Amino acid sequence: MSEGTAATALGPDAAWATVCFSAQPPCAALRGDGPADRVSFVGWRSDAADGSALVRSDPLPSPADSSAERHGYPYVYPYPAPCPHADGPLGCDVHLWVDADSPERTGLMEHADVLVSRVPLPLASAQRRVRGLLLGHPGCRAAAVPDTASTCVVGIRERTGAVSFVSFARLERGGSDDPLPAHVVVSVVHAWAVNGGSPGALRSLVPMPRR
């Protein structure tokens, strides 16, 4: 299987992510036009509170797509529709995430807010990979790499330019046999940080069933 085929099997390799802390499932107004698996509903727990968030991914067109070329790929993309509600205590966050291992998206990485690798690595190697992604792409705010212990290493670039690591254990799965994808985990952490939260205050992210 080629790298491009593998990326397709794993889902989109670049997308706008909308993280909404105010949505309740099924929240039809937030659903995209694609398959339901582009929407994830997650439960989060911090040191001081807990709640839920909806994460929607609106995939970007492939570089080979003629419509992408007409839109001026890779610089111009249709922006996703905003959440149809007033701001809550935690505001909605829209950002661009890119698969750092996709050969088709190399030119797009410098524009990404979030970089993701979907190749699991041992913990120390995952941390080095996250640090390398952030140091190599100054415009990127967050990066994530799954590790082989069923956790996800997430790096957030602090306002001072420093990088801190947050490891999320996926032991609690909310009744699901599948852990959250790395791009969903890091999207929620990015949204949490944009809202002024400390990444280290987040303790768990678990998938929640759609009701």
Side-chain angles (χ1 to χ4, degrees):
M1 180 182 295
S2 66
E3 289 187 12
T5 303
T8 301
L10 289 169
D13 59 2
W16 289 110
T18 301
V19 180
C20 177
F21 291 101
S22 301
Q24 296 295 322
C27 197
L30 278 179
R31 291 189 180 278
D33 297 327
D37 63 2
R38 291 180 184 167
V39 177
S40 299
F41 196 67
V42 305
W44 59 267
R45 180 173 60 85
S46 73
D47 288 336
D50 59 70
S52 58
L54 186 147
V55 183
R56 186 188 76 202
S57 288
D58 291 295
L60 271 59
S62 165
D65 189 331
S66 59
S67 64
E69 294 176 1
R70 289 196 301 271
H71 282 101
Y73 182 90
Y75 302 105
V76 179
Y77 302 97
Y79 203 70
C83 297
H85 56 72
D87 287 341
L90 293 172
C92 297
D93 174 43
V94 179
H95 57 266
L96 175 66
W97 71 263
V98 175
D99 184 342
D101 300 315
S102 173
E104 293 188 342
R105 301 297 188 178
T106 303
L108 188 61
M109 289 173 62
E110 64 181 285
H111 303 285
D113 305 295
V114 171
L115 291 173
V116 180
S117 174
R118 291 181 278 196
V119 180
L121 297 171
L123 179 58
S125 298
Q127 290 179 336
R128 286 194 296 270
R129 173 73 164 141
V130 167
R131 178 176 289 277
L133 288 173
L134 288 174
L135 293 179
H137 301 86
C140 178
R141 178 77 185 274
V145 176
D147 70 43
T148 51
S150 296
T151 65
C152 185
V153 175
V154 178
I156 293 289
R157 189 188 303 278
E158 304 288 356
R159 290 185 177 88
T160 61
V163 174
S164 63
F165 294 103
V166 182
S167 182
F168 288 93
R170 295 180 179 176
L171 301 178
E172 300 177 66
R173 297 187 175 185
S176 172
D177 292 331
D178 297 319
L180 290 167
H183 71 84
V184 172
V185 173
V186 70
S187 287
V188 176
V189 179
H190 182 277
W192 177 265
V194 165
N195 275 283
S198 168
L202 277 173
R203 297 303 178 189
S204 68
L205 294 174
V206 297
M208 297 179 67
R210 297 188 183 94
R211 297 191 290 268

